[in-house]
Amino acid sequence: MATTKWSIDPTHSEIGFKVKHMMFTNVSGKFGTYDATVTTEGDNFENADIQFSADIASIDTANADRDGHLRSGDFFDVENHPKLTFKSSTFKKIDDGDYEITGDLNIKGVSKTVKFPVEFSGIMTDPWGNTKVGLNIEGKINRKDWGLNWNSALETGGVLVGEEVKLNIEIQLAKQA
């Protein structure tokens, strides 16, 4: 069977995350500039090869000061590590709409293997004749595993920034001709 290439549709995708602030509210953010290459056998996504990268400089939490701090050496160190990357090792079908992706996530020069559930929304043809696929990936990582260690103690106890980062990634892929 022939291989099929898919590319990310950035106008219908979002690479989002949430982290606790002061231990009781969530601050949301996203990456505005990213790219993905997906290769499948025909239209079968089981065992798909997925490679993804995001430009750290495009981080957006709706607060310019916070975004600048996240780009600094205290967090992502964008000058020395301008991208985060992910390369899948497996993309396994669990049932009709559920998959599991495993691969290496590289942030700030540190690579760790991660595993996330994937909701596969199916294959559809849009009104212009383009073949599309929808994927939703949710998961959690501990930012300290990638050397994102900065924090500040609160006078009332606890810390300013939570360690757990919740990922919410909505991806629409377009089949390439």
Side-chain angles (χ1 to χ4, degrees), residues 98-124:
D98 297 310
Y99 285 71
E100 182 180 78
I101 190 168
T102 303
D104 293 326
L105 178 61
N106 188 302
I107 301 173
K108 202 175 175 181
V110 177
S111 185
K112 299 276 184 186
T113 300
V114 294
K115 184 186 299 186
F116 302 120
V118 179
E119 179 185 332
F120 180 81
S121 299
I123 298 175
M124 301 185 107

Short mmCIF file of all heavy atoms in Angstrom, two decimals, residues 98-124:
data_model
loop_
_atom_site.label_atom_id
_atom_site.label_comp_id
_atom_site.label_asym_id
_atom_site.label_seq_id
_atom_site.Cartn_x
_atom_site.Cartn_y
_atom_site.Cartn_z
N ASP A 98 -10.35 5.47 19.42
CA ASP A 98 -9.31 5.71 20.42
C ASP A 98 -7.98 5.08 20.01
O ASP A 98 -7.93 3.90 19.63
CB ASP A 98 -9.73 5.13 21.78
CG ASP A 98 -10.97 5.83 22.33
OD1 ASP A 98 -10.97 7.07 22.36
OD2 ASP A 98 -11.92 5.13 22.71
N TYR A 99 -6.95 5.89 20.12
CA TYR A 99 -5.59 5.47 19.84
C TYR A 99 -4.72 5.84 21.03
O TYR A 99 -5.16 6.53 21.95
CB TYR A 99 -5.04 6.17 18.60
CG TYR A 99 -5.59 5.66 17.28
CD1 TYR A 99 -6.90 5.91 16.91
CD2 TYR A 99 -4.79 4.94 16.41
CE1 TYR A 99 -7.41 5.44 15.70
CE2 TYR A 99 -5.27 4.48 15.20
CZ TYR A 99 -6.59 4.74 14.86
OH TYR A 99 -7.07 4.28 13.66
N GLU A 100 -3.48 5.40 21.00
CA GLU A 100 -2.50 5.78 22.00
C GLU A 100 -1.21 6.10 21.26
O GLU A 100 -0.76 5.32 20.42
CB GLU A 100 -2.28 4.62 22.97
CG GLU A 100 -1.31 4.94 24.08
CD GLU A 100 -1.16 3.75 24.99
OE1 GLU A 100 -0.44 2.80 24.62
OE2 GLU A 100 -1.77 3.77 26.07
N ILE A 101 -0.65 7.26 21.58
CA ILE A 101 0.60 7.66 20.95
C ILE A 101 1.72 7.64 21.98
O ILE A 101 1.53 8.07 23.12
CB ILE A 101 0.48 9.06 20.28
CG1 ILE A 101 1.71 9.34 19.42
CG2 ILE A 101 0.24 10.15 21.32
CD1 ILE A 101 1.55 10.55 18.52
N THR A 102 2.85 7.10 21.58
CA THR A 102 4.05 7.07 22.41
C THR A 102 5.18 7.65 21.56
O THR A 102 5.25 7.42 20.36
CB THR A 102 4.41 5.63 22.81
OG1 THR A 102 3.30 5.05 23.50
CG2 THR A 102 5.64 5.59 23.72
N GLY A 103 6.04 8.42 22.21
CA GLY A 103 7.17 8.98 21.48
C GLY A 103 8.04 9.81 22.38
O GLY A 103 7.83 9.89 23.59
N ASP A 104 9.03 10.44 21.77
CA ASP A 104 10.01 11.23 22.50
C ASP A 104 9.68 12.71 22.37
O ASP A 104 9.62 13.26 21.27
CB ASP A 104 11.42 10.96 21.97
CG ASP A 104 11.87 9.54 22.29
OD1 ASP A 104 11.48 9.02 23.35
OD2 ASP A 104 12.57 8.93 21.46
N LEU A 105 9.47 13.34 23.53
CA LEU A 105 9.23 14.78 23.63
C LEU A 105 10.52 15.44 24.08
O LEU A 105 11.07 15.08 25.11
CB LEU A 105 8.10 15.06 24.63
CG LEU A 105 7.75 16.52 24.89
CD1 LEU A 105 7.29 17.21 23.62
CD2 LEU A 105 6.69 16.61 25.99
N ASN A 106 11.01 16.38 23.26
CA ASN A 106 12.26 17.07 23.56
C ASN A 106 11.95 18.53 23.85
O ASN A 106 11.42 19.24 22.99
CB ASN A 106 13.22 16.94 22.38
CG ASN A 106 14.60 17.48 22.73
OD1 ASN A 106 14.75 18.63 23.09
ND2 ASN A 106 15.59 16.62 22.60
N ILE A 107 12.26 18.94 25.07
CA ILE A 107 12.09 20.33 25.50
C ILE A 107 13.38 20.76 26.17
O ILE A 107 13.90 20.07 27.05
CB ILE A 107 10.92 20.48 26.51
CG1 ILE A 107 9.61 20.00 25.90
CG2 ILE A 107 10.80 21.93 26.98
CD1 ILE A 107 8.44 19.96 26.88
N LYS A 108 13.90 21.88 25.76
CA LYS A 108 15.08 22.48 26.38
C LYS A 108 16.27 21.52 26.40
O LYS A 108 17.03 21.45 27.34
CB LYS A 108 14.73 22.97 27.80
CG LYS A 108 15.64 24.02 28.35
CD LYS A 108 15.13 24.53 29.68
CE LYS A 108 16.13 25.50 30.30
NZ LYS A 108 15.66 25.98 31.60
N GLY A 109 16.39 20.73 25.31
CA GLY A 109 17.51 19.81 25.18
C GLY A 109 17.37 18.52 25.95
O GLY A 109 18.27 17.69 25.95
N VAL A 110 16.22 18.30 26.60
CA VAL A 110 15.98 17.08 27.36
C VAL A 110 14.90 16.27 26.63
O VAL A 110 13.83 16.79 26.32
CB VAL A 110 15.51 17.40 28.80
CG1 VAL A 110 15.18 16.12 29.56
CG2 VAL A 110 16.57 18.21 29.53
N SER A 111 15.20 15.00 26.37
CA SER A 111 14.25 14.13 25.68
C SER A 111 13.73 13.08 26.65
O SER A 111 14.51 12.42 27.33
CB SER A 111 14.93 13.46 24.48
OG SER A 111 13.99 12.72 23.75
N LYS A 112 12.40 12.95 26.70
CA LYS A 112 11.75 11.96 27.56
C LYS A 112 10.67 11.26 26.74
O LYS A 112 10.00 11.89 25.92
CB LYS A 112 11.07 12.62 28.77
CG LYS A 112 11.99 13.37 29.69
CD LYS A 112 12.62 12.45 30.67
CE LYS A 112 13.47 13.27 31.65
NZ LYS A 112 14.22 12.42 32.53
N THR A 113 10.48 9.99 27.01
CA THR A 113 9.40 9.24 26.36
C THR A 113 8.09 9.53 27.08
O THR A 113 8.03 9.50 28.32
CB THR A 113 9.71 7.73 26.38
OG1 THR A 113 10.93 7.51 25.67
CG2 THR A 113 8.59 6.94 25.71
N VAL A 114 7.06 9.84 26.30
CA VAL A 114 5.73 10.14 26.84
C VAL A 114 4.70 9.27 26.11
O VAL A 114 4.94 8.80 25.00
CB VAL A 114 5.36 11.63 26.68
CG1 VAL A 114 6.28 12.50 27.54
CG2 VAL A 114 5.43 12.08 25.23
N LYS A 115 3.55 9.09 26.76
CA LYS A 115 2.45 8.31 26.18
C LYS A 115 1.16 9.06 26.48
O LYS A 115 0.92 9.45 27.63
CB LYS A 115 2.41 6.92 26.81
CG LYS A 115 1.37 6.00 26.22
CD LYS A 115 1.27 4.68 26.98
CE LYS A 115 2.56 3.92 26.95
NZ LYS A 115 2.43 2.57 27.55
N PHE A 116 0.33 9.26 25.43
CA PHE A 116 -0.92 10.00 25.59
C PHE A 116 -2.06 9.30 24.86
O PHE A 116 -1.85 8.74 23.78
CB PHE A 116 -0.80 11.42 25.00
CG PHE A 116 0.28 12.26 25.59
CD1 PHE A 116 1.29 12.76 24.80
CD2 PHE A 116 0.29 12.57 26.94
CE1 PHE A 116 2.29 13.55 25.33
CE2 PHE A 116 1.29 13.36 27.48
CZ PHE A 116 2.29 13.85 26.68
N PRO A 117 -3.27 9.39 25.41
CA PRO A 117 -4.43 8.92 24.66
C PRO A 117 -4.76 9.89 23.53
O PRO A 117 -4.56 11.10 23.66
CB PRO A 117 -5.54 8.89 25.71
CG PRO A 117 -5.12 9.88 26.74
CD PRO A 117 -3.62 9.91 26.72
N VAL A 118 -5.27 9.35 22.43
CA VAL A 118 -5.63 10.16 21.26
C VAL A 118 -7.06 9.80 20.87
O VAL A 118 -7.39 8.62 20.70
CB VAL A 118 -4.70 9.88 20.07
CG1 VAL A 118 -5.11 10.70 18.85
CG2 VAL A 118 -3.25 10.14 20.43
N GLU A 119 -7.88 10.83 20.73
CA GLU A 119 -9.22 10.63 20.17
C GLU A 119 -9.13 10.87 18.67
O GLU A 119 -8.74 11.95 18.24
CB GLU A 119 -10.21 11.60 20.81
CG GLU A 119 -11.62 11.48 20.28
CD GLU A 119 -12.54 12.53 20.84
OE1 GLU A 119 -12.31 13.02 21.96
OE2 GLU A 119 -13.50 12.90 20.14
N PHE A 120 -9.47 9.86 17.90
CA PHE A 120 -9.44 9.94 16.44
C PHE A 120 -10.86 10.24 15.97
O PHE A 120 -11.77 9.43 16.14
CB PHE A 120 -8.94 8.60 15.88
CG PHE A 120 -8.86 8.55 14.38
CD1 PHE A 120 -7.77 9.08 13.73
CD2 PHE A 120 -9.85 7.94 13.63
CE1 PHE A 120 -7.66 9.02 12.34
CE2 PHE A 120 -9.76 7.87 12.26
CZ PHE A 120 -8.66 8.41 11.61
N SER A 121 -11.06 11.41 15.39
CA SER A 121 -12.41 11.85 15.01
C SER A 121 -12.85 11.31 13.66
O SER A 121 -13.99 11.53 13.26
CB SER A 121 -12.48 13.38 15.00
OG SER A 121 -12.20 13.87 16.29
N GLY A 122 -11.96 10.66 12.95
CA GLY A 122 -12.33 10.09 11.67
C GLY A 122 -11.80 10.88 10.49
O GLY A 122 -11.15 11.91 10.64
N ILE A 123 -12.11 10.36 9.30
CA ILE A 123 -11.67 10.97 8.04
C ILE A 123 -12.91 11.53 7.35
O ILE A 123 -13.93 10.84 7.23
CB ILE A 123 -10.98 9.93 7.14
CG1 ILE A 123 -9.71 9.40 7.85
CG2 ILE A 123 -10.64 10.52 5.79
CD1 ILE A 123 -9.01 8.28 7.12
N MET A 124 -12.81 12.79 6.92
CA MET A 124 -13.93 13.45 6.25
C MET A 124 -13.42 14.24 5.05
O MET A 124 -12.23 14.58 4.99
CB MET A 124 -14.63 14.43 7.19
CG MET A 124 -15.17 13.82 8.45
SD MET A 124 -16.09 15.04 9.37
CE MET A 124 -17.73 14.45 9.06
#
